[in-house]
């Protein structure tokens, strides 16, 4: 008999527990509204930037080679060092060139002696012809010898200057200041004139930054340049730009546009544009990548919000707006570029709304929330 009564007793106990839980829930009331953080959008004067990726290039770059041939005798620099304009870099064995110069000096002295002798012979002949002691033809012969001697002296002097120039070219110097590469030849190697590359030098300060823009951006920048009485090919009148390096530590660098190509590339439909930047600390190196920001609008009053306040709803971008009663509603927005750490909102907000910036996972349209008001800083740390 007890075996049959036990299941009914267990069911009675469970039913009693359910009644207790329902009574506790009824006494507890509805759950509290979810807590979220809200803030008004930041409204201030802004200037939109267009961002492009580009690369730094040296203003001056040279592959150093010799103007005369010979055997490399000395190297006067450390690989990768900074060099000054006119600094001695290499010396070619000078002994053959010094011998050639001495030979040219001797030939010039012989020619000058012959010229002096011819001059005296001509003067003597002109004196004798006045007395009638010699014929006029002899005077003409002496004059011809004098003129020939003058030409020989001119030729000997030119040969001497050429030999001196070749001797000077055995000392290879830096054509401009910059950073030198490594030496590509060791001492004792044969150098061929105007062929053998010895090293390379790139200038560092200032430095160029090249990037490409499409046809739409070109037309906009060219129109802006014309409004200021300048042309895009001449740098848009020195339009200011900022360049950010690939890491997040280096500060942005300021410069200005100074050149663009005179035609668009037919294959890519883009135009190459150049900016010039100071580089006193020599941090910027040719070949580095960077992101350049070019002013893309006139100053205007903009509305800015944090990126994390924007969420996606299919192909739309939305934010959650909280009214005075704490009710959540959806507002569709059209985001623009990022400025001062915030996202520009081109359309959808007027700047007076309270938007949810933290706790988006706890909200949905129509619910009531417990907002905690905060204020956005003027500039947000990146």
């Amino acid at each position: 008999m007890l075996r049959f009564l036990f299941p009914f007793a267990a069911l009675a106990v469970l039913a009693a527990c359910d009644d207790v839980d329902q009574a506790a829930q009824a006494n507890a009331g509805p759950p509290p509204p979810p807590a979220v953080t809200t803030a008004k959008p930041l409204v201030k004067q802004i200037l939109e930037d267009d961002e492009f990726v580009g690369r730094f290039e040296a203003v001056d770059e040279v592959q150093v080679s010799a103007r005369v041939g010979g055997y490399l005798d000395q190297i006067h620099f450390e690989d990768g060092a900074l060099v000054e304009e006119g600094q001695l870099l290499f010396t070619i064995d000078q002994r053959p060139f010094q011998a050639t110069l001495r030979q040219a000096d001797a030939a010039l002295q012989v020619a000058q002696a012959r010229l002096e002798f011819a001059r005296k012979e001509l003067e003597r002949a002109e004196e004798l012809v006045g007395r009638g002691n010699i014929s006029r033809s002899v005077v003409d012969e002496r004059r011809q010898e004098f003129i020939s001697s003058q030409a020989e002296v001119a030729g000997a002097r030119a040969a001497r200057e050429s030999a001196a120039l070749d001797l000077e070219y055995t000392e290879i110097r830096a054509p401009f200041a910059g950073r030198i590469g490594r030496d590509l030849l060791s001492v004792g190697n044969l150098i061929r004139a105007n062929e053998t590359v010895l090293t390379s030098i790139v200038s560092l300060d200032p430095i160029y930054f090249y990037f490409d823009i499409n046809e739409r951006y070109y037309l906009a920048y060219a129109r802006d340049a014309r409004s200021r009485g300048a042309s895009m090919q001449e740098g848009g009148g020195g339009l200011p730009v900022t360049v950010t390096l690939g890491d997040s530590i280096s500060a942005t660098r300021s410069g200005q546009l100074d050149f663009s190509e005179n035609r668009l590339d037919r294959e890519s439909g883009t135009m190459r544009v150049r900016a010039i930047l100071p580089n006193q600390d020599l941090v910027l190196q040719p070949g580095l990548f960077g992101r350049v920001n070019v002013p893309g609008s006139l100053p205007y009053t903009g509305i800015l919000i944090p990126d994390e306040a924007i969420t996606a709803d299919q192909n739309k971008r939305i934010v959650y707006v909280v009214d005075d009663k704490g009710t959540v509603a959806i507002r569709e927005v059209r985001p623009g570029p990022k400025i001062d750490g915030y996202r520009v909102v081109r359309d959808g907000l007027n700047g007076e709304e309270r938007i949810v910036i933290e706790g988006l996972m706890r909200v949905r349209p129509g619910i009531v929330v417990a907002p905690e008001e905060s204020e956005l800083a003027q500039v947000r740390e990146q």
Side-chain angles (χ1 to χ4, degrees), residues 117-132:
F117 178 76
R119 183 184 63 79
K120 292 180 178 179
E121 286 292 304
L122 176 60
E123 291 176 353
R124 188 177 301 109
E126 288 177 342
E127 182 181 349
L128 292 176
V129 75
R131 300 176 186 173

Side-chain angles (χ1 to χ4, degrees), residues 27-177:
N27 293 333
V36 297
T37 303
T38 62
K40 286 187 175 182
L42 186 63
V43 180
K44 66 175 183 177
Q45 287 289 109
I46 61 172
L47 180 67
E48 287 190 20
D49 286 347
D50 298 322
E51 186 175 272
F52 307 95
V53 176
R55 187 193 294 268
F56 289 98
E57 298 291 348
V59 173
D60 296 309
E61 182 176 359
V62 65
Q63 301 291 320
V64 179
S65 58
R67 298 188 183 186
V68 295
Y71 288 92
L72 182 58
D73 188 40
Q74 296 180 69
I75 300 174
H76 304 278
F77 67 91
E78 296 292 332
D79 291 352
L82 292 172
V83 296
E84 299 295 330
E85 181 179 355
Q87 180 176 329
L88 182 61
L89 305 177
F90 300 93
T91 300
I92 296 174
D93 187 3
Q94 295 181 330
R95 291 172 296 178
F97 300 91
Q98 291 169 343
T100 301
L101 179 59
R102 290 193 295 270
Q103 187 177 12
D105 284 334
L108 177 59
Q109 292 176 0
V110 171
Q112 288 174 335
R114 288 177 179 172
L115 175 61
E116 181 64 21
F117 178 76
R119 183 184 63 79
K120 292 180 178 179
E121 286 292 304
L122 176 60
E123 291 176 353
R124 188 177 301 109
E126 288 177 342
E127 182 181 349
L128 292 176
V129 75
R131 300 176 186 173
N133 294 336
I134 60 174
S135 64
R136 175 59 62 179
S137 61
V138 175
V139 177
D140 293 340
E141 290 176 0
R142 301 287 172 81
R143 182 172 289 108
Q144 187 269 335
E145 292 174 358
F146 175 73
I147 295 173
S148 297
S149 298
Q150 285 181 318
E152 290 178 1
V153 169
R157 185 174 288 114
R160 196 269 176 197
E161 291 175 357
S162 178
L165 194 59
D166 286 344
L167 178 60
E168 181 181 342
Y169 287 156
T170 59
E171 294 183 343
I172 303 167
R173 299 180 180 273
F176 51 81

Side-chain angles (χ1 to χ4, degrees), residues 261-272:
E261 297 287 355
N262 55 7
R263 60 178 296 173
L264 273 77
D265 185 88
R266 292 181 179 179
E267 296 183 359
S268 63
T270 60
M271 174 175 285
R272 180 143 297 183

Side-chain angles (χ1 to χ4, degrees), residues 156-234:
R157 185 174 288 114
R160 196 269 176 197
E161 291 175 357
S162 178
L165 194 59
D166 286 344
L167 178 60
E168 181 181 342
Y169 287 156
T170 59
E171 294 183 343
I172 303 167
R173 299 180 180 273
F176 51 81
R179 190 174 296 280
I180 197 167
R182 63 184 179 89
D183 57 278
L184 301 178
L185 286 181
S186 300
V187 171
N189 276 279
L190 177 64
I191 297 174
R192 297 184 182 277
N194 303 314
E195 292 183 11
T196 306
V197 177
L198 302 175
T199 188
S200 63
I201 302 175
V202 294
S203 64
L204 295 177
D205 184 27
I207 193 169
Y208 286 145
F209 185 83
Y210 287 92
F211 59 98
D212 296 328
I213 62 176
N214 62 27
E215 183 175 341
R216 181 172 64 87
Y217 284 113
Y218 165 70
L219 292 174
Y221 295 155
R223 183 168 54 250
D224 178 67
R226 288 194 298 271
S227 69
R228 290 182 280 111
S231 71
M232 189 60 189
Q233 280 67 29
E234 297 173 355

